[in-house]
Amino acid sequence: MHKKSPEIRFKGFTDDWEQRKLGETVDYIKGFAFKSNSYKSEGIRIIRVSDLSTHSIKEDGDKIFINIDDSKTYNNYVINKDEIIITTVGSKSEMKDSAVGRPIIIRNDNEGLLNQNLVKLSAKESFDSNFIYNSLLDKRYSNYIATIERGNANQANIAIADLWEYPIKVPQLKEQQKIGAFFKSLDDTIALHQDAIE
């Protein structure tokens, strides 16, 4: 018989965890196919698959922008704090740095506009985005992506309908928030040490 909750938990939580599908926990928007003839050297940044590192949006490299006047047309595609971005194209899942299906979580508002081949997820009302994001860092998730990816050796893609079927175990919202906040503080500490090293 499957256990309904993990052995190690924060104090005061005893409710069983429920199995959900990823698609039941989030709302989503697919990226926009911006035309290359509207690219500018300044304005509002367009975030492409190539702009993502393993855990964040790259600050270096070749950035592209669109005119600020045009940006109101694209309000739905603005990337904001606590949204999760997942790549729907990339290399096969064993190539971690450029793998299809890799998730990142956004730490600031107005990070740019979401380009095609990316999907942004916002946690639904009784779910916590940091908790969901950490569930997507689990080895089970990358194993699942390996079963749904299609394509050749150089480029793989995933169908969003398949992505939403990913099974995720969730506790009540308060426990999700506690777990999510714990992992976020770990990430922040790691990022500070990384900056110090660099």
Side-chain angles (χ1 to χ4, degrees), residues 102-118:
R102 75 186 185 279
I104 69 161
I105 192 164
I106 303 302
R107 295 300 184 201
N108 303 297
D109 278 328
N110 294 317
E111 281 283 357
L113 298 170
L114 192 74
N115 199 24
Q116 63 186 350
N117 302 324
L118 294 168

Side-chain angles (χ1 to χ4, degrees), residues 121-169:
L121 285 52
S122 310
K124 288 186 177 175
E125 203 173 309
S126 45
F127 299 97
D128 179 76
S129 58
N130 284 296
F131 178 85
I132 292 167
Y133 172 64
N134 278 288
S135 300
L136 301 180
L137 298 179
D138 194 299
K139 183 86 175 103
R140 279 186 329 105
Y141 173 74
S142 48
N143 291 345
Y144 178 78
I145 294 296
T147 69
I148 64 168
E149 65 190 10
R150 305 282 174 266
N152 58 34
N154 301 325
Q155 180 141 46
N157 60 73
I158 53 174
I160 289 178
D162 293 335
L163 181 61
W164 297 155
E165 293 297 311
Y166 177 65
I168 176 172
K169 283 200 168 89

